[in-house]
Structure formats: structure tokens, C-alpha cells
Amino acid sequence: MTDLADATRHLLCQRIHRFVLVLERFRRNPNRREAYHILSAIELLREGRYEAGLEAVRAAEHVAPIPDGLALLPGLHDDMTAVELRQALRAEVRPASTTEATGTAAEAGK
């Protein structure tokens, strides 16, 4: 990855984290729209489409409508909790961190 892509990925992770943190601070779960857009941002993070992910976070912050074709369809976003959003983000961010931490700990033990 380039430095710009790394910085944009980090920014996207921070924005998602902050959004979930605010939900937790106010002890509330996301509504359908917020959950849809944050889940989209996490999926775009997984795909490496960081700019589109930032747009999805902005949509969640503004509680933008769910796209017309998907608004009436049931989905994961219907009953999502803040804890589940945090777990989804953690699952996406931790694998790379865990591998690096494990490798570093193994080297330190030598």
C-alpha cells in the first residue's frame, strides 16, 4: 500500500470507530440508516475502497436514506447494535494487527 492509501485506511478506521464510540457514549443503538451506512463503510474498508468508505461514514453521520432498491428489503442493518458494529470493525482491523503482534512477540522471545 502507498502512504496515501495507508493514511486513508487509518482515517476510515478512525471515523468508523468514532461513530460507534458516540453511539456507545449516548447508550443507544444505531437506527436502520446509520447501521446500513456504517456496515457499508466496513465492507468498503474490507474491499480497500477507502474513499467510498468515507462517503458511507458521512452518509451515516447525516442519517442519509438507504438507497431506494434496498430500503424495503430486510437486512443485517435492521436490528444492529453498537456492540455488533464495534465487533465488525474489530474483525476487520485486528487480523493484520494480530499477525504483526504475534510475529513481534515470537521474535522477542528468541
Side-chain angles (χ1 to χ4, degrees):
M1 266 191 233
T2 65
D3 289 341
L4 180 59
D6 285 340
T8 307
R9 182 181 194 283
H10 182 69
L11 177 62
L12 177 56
C13 289
Q14 280 184 327
R15 294 277 304 273
I16 295 169
H17 173 75
R18 275 190 245 135
F19 187 89
V20 174
L21 195 63
V22 169
L23 291 174
E24 291 173 341
R25 185 172 296 144
F26 286 98
R27 295 185 178 157
R28 76 173 186 86
N29 290 322
N31 62 38
R32 280 185 89 232
R33 291 178 179 188
E34 292 168 332
Y36 172 82
H37 292 298
I38 290 298
L39 286 172
S40 295
I42 292 170
E43 181 62 30
L44 291 164
L45 173 66
R46 181 178 300 122
E47 295 173 3
R49 298 174 48 207
Y50 308 132
E51 291 296 329
L54 290 170
E55 286 298 319
V57 173
R58 279 187 210 101
E61 292 168 345
H62 295 179
V63 195
I66 295 172
D68 287 336
L70 302 173
L72 298 176
L73 297 175
L76 290 175
H77 57 277
D78 287 332
D79 295 318
M80 186 64 56
T81 66
V83 171
E84 290 171 327
L85 288 176
R86 175 165 304 288
Q87 290 171 345
L89 176 61
R90 187 173 291 146
E92 197 51 45
V93 174
R94 291 284 172 147
S97 301
T98 304
T99 306
E100 292 171 8
T102 305
T104 307
E107 290 174 14
K110 289 183 180 180

